[in-house]
Amino acid sequence: MPVGLAGETTVGPGEDDPARAVLHSVFGFHAFRGPQAEIIAHVLEGGDALVLMPTGGGKSLCYQVPALVRPGVAVVVSPLIALMRDQVEALRQLGVRAAYLNSTVEWREAEAIEQAVAAGALDLLYVAPERLVTPRCLDLFDRSRLALFALDEAHCVSQWGHDFRPEYLQLSLLHERYPQVPRLALTATADHRTRADIIRQLRLEQARIFITSFDRPNITYRVTVKDNPRQQLLHFLRDRHPRDAGIVYCMSRNKVDDTAAWLAAQGRDALPYHAGLSSATRQAHQDRFLRADGLVMVATIAFGMGIDKPDVRFVAHLDLPKSLEAYYQETGRAGRDGAPADAWMAYGMADVVLVRQWLDASAAPDAHKQAERAKLEALLGYCETPRCRRQTLLGYFGETLAEPCGNCDTCLDRVDMWDASVAAQMALAAIYRTGERFGAGHLIDVLRGEAGEKVLRFGHDQIKTFGVGAERSKREWQGIYRQLIALGLVSVDLETHGFRLNDTAMPVMKGHKRLQLRRDPQAETTRALRGRRGRAEASTLSASPMAGDAALLFEVLRGVRAELAKEQGVPAYVIFHDSTLKEMVTKRPTDRATFATLTGVGSGKLERYADIFLTVIRSQSK
Ligand code: ADP
Ligand code: ZN
């Protein structure tokens, strides 16, 4: 019978606000975040709400707290069947009476859950959308007292979005059938079309809309120029995330397999994930990722929605994402728990060439193609910007960040711009004088005066530009060509990959127009990375290395947590988040009263785990 411990919410002394009392005694949190309090108050008064918050913003509490305060069962509609079990398990660990109904639940168990719902013995019920609209389920709801409906991942109702689920369209019936039950729609997708769709399709015209900033201040954004991408990735992992869980995105299945195998050979726990693997393998790998400590998942974008793991510490891109929207979604899977996390991308000439080719291939003037092109231009613009990355990203989504963020590579490491007019003149002239047929390798040989076989064969040692750029390294010239392509001065032939001059190149080539370029930073080395730590990191323990015995205690606590998680078959974060373990290290509680003050320790977890962890802390603190 999947009904957990008693769900009473003991009201602590001086807590006459029932929502705050639940926050404290059940979740072990000290304060509401952002608009949570306002949203919860609105729902407790019976109002409908549309909640738009970024991933990790704290959407779940907006319905979980009212679920415990209002009488009756709260029904949570979620498309992510694979995750319902973990979500319900996390609630049970808190002592909340929760269950789920979806196609993985056997009928006998389903029947028991239904009885519990009708008897008012459950606080939260998670339901798959296709299940909810069945007569059987609706009949159950007719007979039950309902606290609220929470429609999670509400953007699934929109055909504009990326995760359209036709079953979601039927959810409008909730409004007609249960007009007195408050409804909350929640999503991390902010764009206007999707929002309008949600309101219309789910009949939320009367709902109050709550929008927060989409900024994710705990994520450090970095874009690095590809040199030797695997080594760069390895440096990044060794330096910043030697034991953390994270995701590495690649474009192709082959590259995913190769990269995962290579990382494993380097001693990293890494697994591949892509649509070419059997669904059993994919499921097994996803489970390992959710349950194991510190696994690196190398994946195509098939590894996507519903990576609900709160302690993903980094998302790395070895290939360009499809768009900035996709990039923000993918990197948004890092740091849901609010602790410092990295979004790291390596990109280079080949990526820029590819995007430029897509751009030229979609040269048709129709509106759709134009929109596509604008998206690709924005992506290149983000990669090459000398400005704050976060300002660029948020600006793209229509939000203004007044000051540079101080937590991205361009903020942390000064970006030098230089007057590249003369160098660009040379680079463009080399293209022109060799007949607009060659790619970077050959052009750079000509510029640097390297008379190899190919240069001699074409007689390019005889032209005026031969050797004029000898004083610049190959790498510098590559950076120059990459930026000329990104800026659209140079395009790339789809078949021959030869560089060609666009009209915009002419004034620069003729010296009529000056050109500023970004100076590429030196290749990321271990030493260079080590010197730079983001603002967010400085303010918390997370990424800063802990000193000797603190680090030891943390590892011991992690081990205890891992064992408890394994015993119960749940992800480690369901027992305690890293941040709670870190608080144990800094506060070293030795009695239950102090243990109860830790963030994330409510009465349920106090009962279950205080003694186990207190014993460990005491024995390590002697
Ligand atoms: P979302 O669903 O918006 O992506 P979650 O609801 O999963 O975000 O919350 C993200 C993380 O923040 C979770 O680990 C959650 O426990 C934590 N959290 C949410 N609200 C609070 C709060 N008021 N105080 C402390 N932690 C919170
Ligand atoms: Zn910045």
Side-chain angles (χ1 to χ4, degrees):
M1 180 62 206
V3 176
L5 301 174
E8 316 94 293
T9 53
T10 39
V11 178
E15 295 199 278
D16 43 7
D17 171 357
R20 238 165 253 288
V22 165
L23 179 76
H24 193 209
S25 70
V26 178
F27 295 91
F29 294 154
H30 305 301
F32 284 115
R33 249 192 220 161
Q36 281 175 338
E38 223 186 324
I39 296 167
I40 290 165
H42 179 70
V43 174
L44 288 178
E45 281 165 19
D48 293 342
L50 171 57
V51 175
L52 304 145
M53 268 190 207
T55 309
K59 288 186 281 300
S60 330
L61 275 192
C62 298
Y63 57 83
Q64 287 171 348
V65 169
L68 295 174
V69 174
R70 278 177 74 89
V73 63
V75 177
V76 184
V77 183
S78 164
L80 307 169
I81 290 188
L83 291 175
M84 283 186 189
R85 193 179 46 154
D86 289 347
Q87 286 168 336
V88 164
E89 187 49 52
L91 286 166
R92 287 190 192 157
Q93 293 272 334
L94 298 169
V96 172
R97 304 174 303 174
Y100 60 89
L101 281 177
N102 61 38
S103 51
T104 67
V105 179
E106 283 176 42
W107 75 266
R108 210 182 280 280
E109 202 189 340
E111 217 161 48
I113 293 168
E114 286 165 5
Q115 273 168 19
V117 169
L122 273 186
D123 298 311
L124 280 118
L125 177 71
Y126 285 72
V127 195
E130 57 278 6
R131 182 100 177 197
L132 184 138
V133 296
T134 59
R136 178 175 173 135
C137 203
L138 293 170
D139 172 62
L140 171 68
F141 291 162
D142 289 347
R143 290 182 284 121
S144 308
R145 182 152 191 191
L146 302 176
L148 59 94
F149 289 108
L151 313 175
D152 208 2
E153 313 286 350
H155 60 278
C156 288
V157 81
S158 170
Q159 311 212 32
W160 289 117
H162 30 81
D163 306 312
F164 178 55
R165 296 280 297 253
E167 312 87 81
Y168 260 66
L169 290 172
Q170 295 183 57
L171 296 178
S172 62
L173 69 81
L174 296 177
H175 167 65
E176 286 130 39
R177 199 160 170 135
Y178 309 104
Q180 75 292 356
V181 179
R183 291 173 305 144
L184 273 109
L186 309 108
T187 177
T189 304
D191 79 87
H192 288 269
R193 276 207 289 214
T194 311
R195 193 191 311 172
D197 255 9
I198 294 173
I199 292 171
R200 190 165 43 85
Q201 306 280 20
L202 294 176
R203 305 293 320 280
L204 283 166
E205 291 86 357
Q206 307 300 318
R208 218 175 119 185
I209 301 178
F210 296 87
I211 305 178
T212 64
S213 163
F214 270 68
D215 186 16
R216 302 284 312 279
N218 59 315
I219 297 182
T220 308
Y221 296 96
R222 281 183 188 286
V223 179
T224 181
V225 176
K226 260 183 204 168
D227 196 3
N228 181 339
R230 275 186 175 177
Q231 287 298 338
Q232 287 170 295
L233 175 68
L234 194 64
H235 276 308
F236 165 73
L237 294 179
R238 285 195 176 149
D239 221 54
R240 313 249 317 171
H241 303 285
R243 278 188 298 272
D244 294 331
I247 307 170
V248 176
Y249 280 112
C250 304
M251 195 135 57
S252 73
R253 296 173 186 184
N254 278 341
K255 188 161 169 184
V256 164
D257 287 333
D258 292 351
T259 308
W262 184 79
L263 281 176
Q266 304 302 310
R268 242 350 247 256
D269 200 4
L271 287 175
Y273 189 105
H274 55 71
L277 299 170
S278 74
S279 76
T281 307
R282 282 203 308 262
Q283 187 61 49
H285 288 191
Q286 171 161 335
D287 273 358
R288 280 263 335 266
F289 181 68
L290 294 176
R291 280 164 173 69
D293 264 340
L295 186 94
V296 177
M297 187 72 105
V298 186
T300 59
I301 52 169
F303 190 59
M305 183 165 80
I307 310 308
D308 220 356
K309 189 175 163 64
D311 54 355
V312 174
R313 292 269 68 84
F314 65 89
V315 170
H317 280 84
L318 280 183
D319 291 304
L320 275 181
K322 261 172 46 199
S323 63
L324 279 184
E325 283 91 342
Y327 178 68
Y328 209 59
Q329 279 251 333
E330 286 151 24
T331 55
R333 292 176 187 130
R336 286 177 84 116
D337 55 9
D342 278 308
W344 182 91
M345 170 156 73
Y347 95 113
M349 172 85 82
D351 302 294
V352 178
V353 165
L354 198 63
V355 172
R356 195 41 74 193
Q357 288 180 330
W358 289 340
L359 274 165
D360 292 343
S362 66
D366 68 89
H368 177 71
K369 287 263 166 82
Q370 262 173 26
E372 292 277 287
R373 283 204 297 279
K375 282 185 175 195
L376 290 171
E377 296 280 7
L379 181 62
L380 290 183
Y382 172 78
C383 293
E384 296 287 353
T385 187
R387 289 179 55 218
C388 168
R389 303 260 185 223
R390 196 180 310 272
Q391 281 183 323
T392 311
L393 269 175
L394 291 175
Y396 180 73
F397 295 113
E399 202 178 315
T400 318
L401 187 67
E403 295 292 326
C405 75
N407 191 24
C408 70
D409 57 348
T410 52
C411 283
L412 292 167
D413 328 325
R414 244 172 52 87
V415 179
D416 285 336
M417 299 297 284
W418 60 293
D419 186 335
S421 309
V422 176
Q425 249 180 307
M426 292 178 187
L428 296 170
I431 297 175
Y432 179 73
R433 293 189 186 277
T434 52
E436 305 188 61
R437 291 188 292 146
F438 297 91
H442 185 75
L443 293 168
I444 293 173
D445 281 349
V446 170
L447 283 165
R448 290 177 37 80
E450 288 179 14
E453 184 271 325
K454 192 170 168 191
V455 170
L456 294 175
R457 174 151 46 96
F458 286 98
H460 289 161
D461 54 335
Q462 303 300 317
I463 61 179
K464 243 175 92 184
T465 26
F466 183 76
V468 293
E471 82 285 5
R472 286 188 196 286
S473 70
K474 225 168 163 159
R475 200 164 176 278
E476 284 175 276
W477 281 118
Q478 273 182 339
I480 293 165
Y481 275 120
R482 191 194 72 243
Q483 293 182 68
L484 290 174
I485 296 168
L487 290 169
L489 272 61
V490 171
S491 59
V492 185
D493 190 274
L494 276 176
E495 269 148 40
T496 66
H497 303 284
F499 290 2
R500 281 198 312 249
L501 302 176
N502 289 334
D503 292 347
T504 47
M506 295 311 160
V508 176
M509 189 166 77
K510 292 181 182 147
H512 299 328
K513 196 176 159 201
R514 309 205 69 81
L515 185 72
Q516 295 272 318
L517 291 181
R518 216 189 117 118
R519 199 181 297 284
D520 280 348
Q522 288 305 304
E524 304 270 330
T525 62
T526 313
R527 196 170 33 78
L529 271 167
R530 218 170 253 148
R532 311 190 227 107
R533 297 282 181 197
R535 187 183 56 179
E537 277 142 300
S539 61
T540 84
L541 254 170
S542 174
S544 54
M546 278 186 263
D549 63 331
L552 181 67
L553 177 57
F554 182 67
E555 284 312 315
V556 174
L557 294 172
R558 234 159 96 124
V560 172
R561 178 182 66 177
E563 237 165 76
L564 287 166
K566 204 166 166 198
E567 259 166 40
Q568 303 176 57
V570 300
Y573 64 80
V574 163
I575 312 271
F576 282 125
H577 281 186
D578 281 358
S579 55
T580 307
L581 296 189
K582 276 170 187 152
E583 250 185 274
M584 290 183 204
V585 173
T586 48
K587 292 194 179 155
R588 309 246 171 172
T590 49
D591 56 71
R592 285 169 71 97
T594 319
F595 197 85
T597 66
L598 301 177
T599 306
V601 179
S603 52
K605 296 224 170 145
L606 187 69
E607 275 322 304
R608 280 176 178 236
Y609 301 123
D611 293 341
I612 301 171
F613 283 90
L614 281 170
T615 309
V616 175
I617 295 167
R618 285 193 205 109
S619 72
Q620 292 286 316
S621 300
K622 278 187 196 124

